[in-house]
Amino acid sequence: MDKKILYISFLILILAGFWVGFIYRENILGLYHNAAKNVEQFKKTDLGNTINEFTKEIFAPGPLKIGGQENSVVLTKAKIIAQTNIQRYDNGSLPPLIENAKLNAAALAKANDIFKRQYFEHVSPSGVGPGDLVLSFGYEYIVSGENLILGNFKDEAEVVGKWMASPGHRANILNNRFTEIGVAIIKGTYQNQTVWVGVQEFGLPLSSCAQPSETEKAEIENNKIQLDAMALQIDAKRAEINNTNPRSQEYNQKVDEYNALVNQYNQLNQITKNLIIHFNNQVNDFNNCVAGR
């Protein structure tokens, strides 16, 4: 009698365990059914922020014709830059502008073109403006500026002083967003007179603003492709479960496979979300930098 009771009790425990296990699997499956609903929601998401299309600022006040008597003074680029930085220090303790080879080349090309084509404007007869000019020498910029002057001068301090006496040119010299400069000062014949042409090219290079990681963006896009593929696998596995007898061992195996797939999806999902947050922060920083904020 005791053995029979023991056997029945044992059988009840087995059945109860099976039933509890079945209920547990049904609950787990239900939980992941809910999680799988997020699959569709996530597939509709994208990188939250994008790089703003920003307008490159160009400051080009009207060119200055000074006149003056021809003389034997020799003016130099280095002293023009030095006098420019003295003015920045004396008028707000602004950081000195760093000489840039590409801006120097653009400034020299502009000065030579003025003598060659006999015009005195920021935009050349062929339609090349200051922004186009520096870009043609490989200078990618956020903000750019150009000062022009023509005439005869006693020294470099007078050249920069004439620019400083003009509100627009002064604003370029004292612009706190500019970090780099290129200068040309050359002598030639303009409208049958021997004169100097001075050109200042100012710039804030695009490289001064850290751009979002292209590698990270590519990783996000690759992860999204993987997530899409995994979502299809999850849908297919769920369809298999729905067409399988819930009391069969095969059913339990398919539930385990389904749960493993959703677990993998959720892990990659979270990794991708973290990457997107980090990438979006980079985009915000870049947009704020180019906007001067």
Side-chain angles (χ1 to χ4, degrees):
M1 186 68 176
D2 291 340
K3 288 184 178 180
K4 187 178 290 187
I5 292 172
L6 182 63
Y7 175 76
I8 292 171
S9 299
F10 182 69
L11 184 59
I12 290 171
L13 286 172
I14 291 175
L15 291 173
F18 175 79
W19 184 248
V20 170
F22 174 72
I23 293 174
Y24 174 75
R25 289 181 184 280
E26 284 297 304
N27 288 339
I28 290 295
L29 185 58
L31 289 173
Y32 279 129
H33 267 267
N34 291 332
K37 290 178 183 178
N38 295 328
V39 170
E40 290 302 318
Q41 184 177 10
F42 182 75
K43 284 195 294 184
K44 296 175 183 177
T45 66
D46 204 342
L47 299 181
N49 298 345
T50 56
I51 296 176
N52 293 337
E53 289 292 331
F54 64 95
T55 302
K56 295 180 176 181
E57 293 184 275
I58 303 170
F59 300 98
L64 289 180
K65 283 185 180 180
I66 301 305
Q69 294 297 315
E70 182 181 348
N71 56 50
S72 59
V73 170
V74 176
L75 305 175
T76 67
K77 172 187 67 177
K79 290 182 180 179
I80 295 285
I81 294 174
Q83 287 295 324
T84 299
N85 282 329
I86 287 172
Q87 291 295 337
R88 284 174 65 85
Y89 181 80
D90 289 345
N91 292 274
S93 297
L94 297 170
L97 298 172
I98 306 302
E99 186 175 359
N100 180 278
K102 292 177 180 178
L103 291 180
N104 276 340
L108 182 60
K110 180 66 176 180
N112 283 327
D113 198 48
I114 287 171
F115 282 127
K116 179 180 179 180
R117 303 197 196 192
Q118 295 292 293
Y119 72 98
F120 191 54
E121 300 291 341
H122 287 290
V123 179
S124 73
S126 58
V128 177
D132 303 318
L133 177 64
V134 297
L135 282 173
S136 71
F137 284 89
Y139 190 82
E140 294 285 344
Y141 66 91
I142 297 167
V143 187
S144 178
E146 183 179 81
N147 282 351
L148 300 178
I149 197 167
L150 183 152
N152 284 293
F153 313 91
K154 63 180 181 181
D155 55 26
E156 292 83 359
E158 183 184 10
V159 177
V160 176
K162 295 293 186 182
W163 274 324
M164 286 294 292
S166 165
H169 299 85
R170 177 188 180 91
N172 271 352
I173 291 172
L174 302 182
N175 191 320
N176 62 6
R177 295 204 71 196
F178 290 143
T179 60
E180 297 181 330
I181 190 172
V183 168
I185 184 80
I186 62 173
K187 199 172 192 177
T189 301
Y190 179 80
Q191 295 181 351
N192 299 319
Q193 291 185 321
T194 300
V195 294
W196 289 88
V197 164
V199 182
Q200 287 179 312
E201 299 291 349
F202 304 93
L204 173 65
L206 184 60
S207 59
S208 63
C209 291
Q211 298 192 48
S213 169
E214 288 298 322
T215 300
E216 197 164 292
K217 183 179 180 181
E219 185 178 355
I220 290 169
E221 296 299 337
N222 183 60
N223 284 2
K224 287 171 69 65
I225 292 171
Q226 292 185 56
L227 287 167
D228 286 343
M230 291 170 68
L232 293 176
Q233 291 178 311
I234 290 169
D235 290 341
K237 186 60 65 176
R238 186 166 61 245
E240 289 179 21
I241 291 171
N242 291 336
N243 293 321
T244 304
N245 185 346
R247 290 178 173 78
S248 67
Q249 183 59 38
E250 184 183 6
Y251 180 87
N252 296 336
Q253 180 182 344
K254 290 185 183 298
V255 169
D256 287 339
E257 292 171 352
Y258 176 87
N259 292 343
L261 278 172
V262 174
N263 185 51
Q264 291 174 24
Y265 181 93
N266 288 339
Q267 289 180 15
L268 184 58
N269 182 358
Q270 189 58 55
I271 290 170
T272 306
K273 283 183 176 179
N274 292 339
L275 282 171
I276 289 174
I277 290 170
H278 187 256
F279 183 82
N280 287 345
N281 287 336
Q282 294 179 55
V283 171
N284 283 335
D285 290 343
F286 177 80
N287 289 337
N288 288 334
C289 179
V290 298
R293 294 193 292 267

